[in-house]
Amino acid sequence: MKRVGFIVSPNFQMMSLAALPVFEFANRVMEQPFYELEVLSESGGLVKSSFGVAIDTKPFDDPEFDTLLVGGGTEIEPTSPKLLSFLGKARASSRRIASICAGAFVLADAGLLDGRSATTHWYNVPEFEKRYPGVRMEGDKIFVVDGPIWSSAGMSSGIDLALALVESDIGAEATKMIAKLLVVYHRRLGGQLQFSAMLDMEPKTDRIQRALVFARSNLTGDLSVERLAEAASLSVRQFNRAFQAEIGQTPARAVEALRVEAARLLLEGGRLPMEGIAEQTGLGDAERMRRSFLKIYGTTPQTIRRNARSSDEIFDLASMRPKAQKSRADLADA
């Protein structure tokens, strides 16, 4: 079995524990105790979360874990000397060490992120960059892998990170089943942005908002600056100036982001050919779509489709096993 330790500190955020069921369900899908899970703290015993609910823990006196995860809290608090010492020892004995949300601050305090790439919740990125200039912060990613050190953005992206950890151990097919059982995506890529394209654009005026809504509703139509300016009831010059000031990017780049996001949803949710998706989202052709995906997501449409494709097997959810793999005893009882 692979030992997995999850470290919590007082006032940890309960939602960070959402990564643990991924390992629990891996044991059920594998039909054997593949992972041994332990929740750890400095002294062991009950540790209160940020809203007062306590969880029982074991003291982290043994660093011999295959994988260690450090949970985050709603507030960034000083890392205890004992935890820093423990992580220093674990660095040599653990195969992988990961952080969830503000847990990245703990890894950075322990020196585990020096010279490496990492991510954390978008809200904490400015403070992180100020404190740790030696870390390459990729604050727009949902999780980042740099050698044996993994880090995720917010609490929910800890699930994506855990699925990626498990997939590297047991393969994509079994991990797809875990994602199905948890009713989550299998799996959002680490390079995916923390925000949806539309939510990331925050117009301050109704006119720019109208232009964005028009663009999202007419992805295959004419989305030139002139047409968007008309939708916003502004001159082209006024529209360009206002759009750049409110959105922080050109109208063309914003339209590309909206089209790429729509294409990604089609890739993840169906089996349309690449050319068809490119046409339906206004990206023109498959090659142009590929270039846009590389620019915005850092990966290709083919990779996103491959990771999102659902397994065609029919699973017996009661036993957590593929029906095709029932034992002879099961068949005899049927």
Side-chain angles (χ1 to χ4, degrees):
M1 281 196 297
K2 297 182 182 297
R3 294 182 72 202
V4 176
F6 193 100
I7 300 172
V8 298
S9 298
N11 299 315
F12 73 95
Q13 223 298 321
M14 186 68 78
M15 191 176 173
S16 65
L17 295 174
L20 289 181
V22 174
F23 300 96
E24 176 192 357
F25 275 74
N27 287 341
R28 302 178 75 179
V29 168
M30 296 294 287
E31 299 185 308
Q32 59 179 323
F34 192 82
Y35 294 107
E36 178 186 0
L37 301 174
E38 297 180 29
V39 181
L40 311 170
S41 68
E42 183 168 331
S43 302
L46 293 177
V47 177
K48 281 190 176 182
S49 68
S50 57
F51 62 91
V53 174
I55 185 170
D56 197 18
T57 66
K58 296 180 180 180
F60 52 60
D61 50 8
D62 176 12
E64 297 295 328
F65 284 87
D66 174 78
T67 302
L68 276 173
L69 297 98
V70 179
T74 52
E75 302 292 335
I76 301 167
E77 300 183 4
T79 306
S80 73
K82 189 171 180 179
L83 179 51
L84 293 176
S85 174
F86 176 76
L87 289 173
K89 296 173 185 175
R91 184 178 201 168
S93 58
S94 296
R95 180 165 62 101
R96 303 176 298 200
I97 300 178
S99 64
I100 294 176
C101 196
F105 284 78
V106 177
L107 297 193
D109 283 341
L112 272 64
L113 295 179
D114 291 349
R116 295 186 183 275
S117 296
T119 192
T120 190
H121 192 284
W122 62 267
Y123 184 83
N124 293 324
V125 166
E127 179 65 23
F128 189 98
E129 291 179 323
K130 184 165 57 176
R131 291 193 190 190
Y132 313 106
V135 179
R136 295 187 296 274
M137 172 49 58
E138 299 189 38
D140 58 343
K141 304 296 172 56
I142 63 170
F143 70 86
V144 169
V145 183
D146 191 331
I149 308 299
W150 300 51
S151 55
S152 75
M155 305 293 177
S156 64
S157 59
I159 299 173
D160 300 287
L161 180 144
L163 284 168
L165 288 166
V166 169
E167 183 175 314
S168 69
D169 291 337
I170 66 176
E173 290 306 309
T175 311
K176 285 177 185 176
M177 185 56 195
I178 296 168
K180 281 186 175 182
L181 293 171
L182 293 172
V183 197
V184 297
Y185 284 112
H186 174 264
R187 63 181 164 74
R188 293 189 296 170
L189 298 172
Q192 191 168 321
L193 304 184
Q194 291 192 37
F195 309 96
S196 75
M198 197 71 171
L199 287 176
D200 198 21
M201 301 173 193
E202 299 181 358
K204 298 178 177 61
T205 62
D206 290 342
R207 290 186 174 189
I208 300 302
Q209 176 69 33
R210 283 204 306 271
L212 287 172
V213 171
F214 175 81
R216 194 175 189 183
S217 302
N218 298 275
L219 293 177
T220 59
D222 174 17
L223 295 180
S224 63
V225 175
E226 290 77 12
R227 186 68 188 90
L228 292 174
E230 181 183 341
S233 301
L234 292 170
S235 70
V236 171
R237 184 175 180 181
Q238 288 174 320
F239 175 75
N240 260 326
R241 186 188 311 118
F243 196 95
Q244 291 266 21
E246 295 184 30
I247 306 302
Q249 57 184 306
T250 65
R253 181 63 189 267
V255 166
E256 183 180 30
L258 292 172
R259 283 172 167 160
V260 167
E261 182 172 69
R264 177 178 61 78
L265 293 174
L266 289 174
L267 284 166
E268 293 176 340
R271 296 181 179 274
L272 284 173
M274 296 293 176
E275 289 289 346
I277 291 174
E279 290 175 8
Q280 287 193 28
T281 55
L283 289 169
D285 56 53
E287 176 55 28
R288 180 184 167 191
M289 182 170 73
R290 187 188 71 85
R291 292 197 300 268
S292 293
F293 268 71
L294 285 170
K295 177 164 57 176
I296 292 174
Y297 291 144
T299 191
T300 65
Q302 289 83 354
T303 299
I304 287 179
R305 165 159 281 176
R306 185 167 59 248
N307 283 308
R309 186 174 294 132
S310 297
S311 172
D312 291 329
E313 292 179 293
I314 299 175
F315 282 83
D316 179 352
L317 299 185
S319 63
M320 306 301 175
R321 293 179 296 179
K323 287 185 175 178
Q325 294 181 4
K326 282 188 173 181
S327 67
R328 291 181 181 176
D330 291 332
L331 294 173
D333 290 338

